[in-house]
Structure formats: structure tokens, C-alpha cells
Amino acid sequence: MDRDSSAADRDDTAADRDGSSPPDCPRCGERIAFLTVSGPMTGSVSPCGCSVPPALVHRED
């Protein structure tokens, strides 16, 4: 077995394996890596830094 190909197989994430992807920011449209919730109606997303209510961040199914 080639070591390089096995390393590539390990690099895929659960999101890649099941066909889903991270949601987009509802303000600017950039892919969201992290959602930081600081209250029931306040949050911010990274890497864009937009302030969004946590309820607006969801995956499209």
C-alpha cells in the first residue's frame, strides 16, 4: 500500500464523507468554519467575523 494514498484517505473529514458541507454565512455568503454563541440572540461566525443570531445559521438539507 502506498503511504501517500493512505495519508490522503485519512485527511477527509466526516462532512466530506457523508456529502454534506459547512453552511454559508447568512450575511456575506462565505463558508462558516465556526459559530461562537455569546447569548440566545447573539453570535459570530468565523472566518468572516459577521455577527448573526445563532438561529440563522443552519445547514440546508
Side-chain angles (χ1 to χ4, degrees), residues 28-56:
C28 71
E30 188 173 330
R31 292 273 180 198
I32 294 174
F34 297 98
L35 168 64
T36 303
V37 178
S38 53
M41 297 298 292
T42 57
S44 63
V45 293
S46 296
C48 62
C50 293
S51 295
V52 297
L56 289 181

Side-chain angles (χ1 to χ4, degrees), residues 8-35:
D9 291 340
R10 286 192 304 265
D11 287 342
D12 65 343
T13 63
D16 291 338
R17 286 192 299 269
D18 70 4
S20 63
S21 61
D24 295 333
C25 174
R27 302 253 186 228
C28 71
E30 188 173 330
R31 292 273 180 198
I32 294 174
F34 297 98
L35 168 64

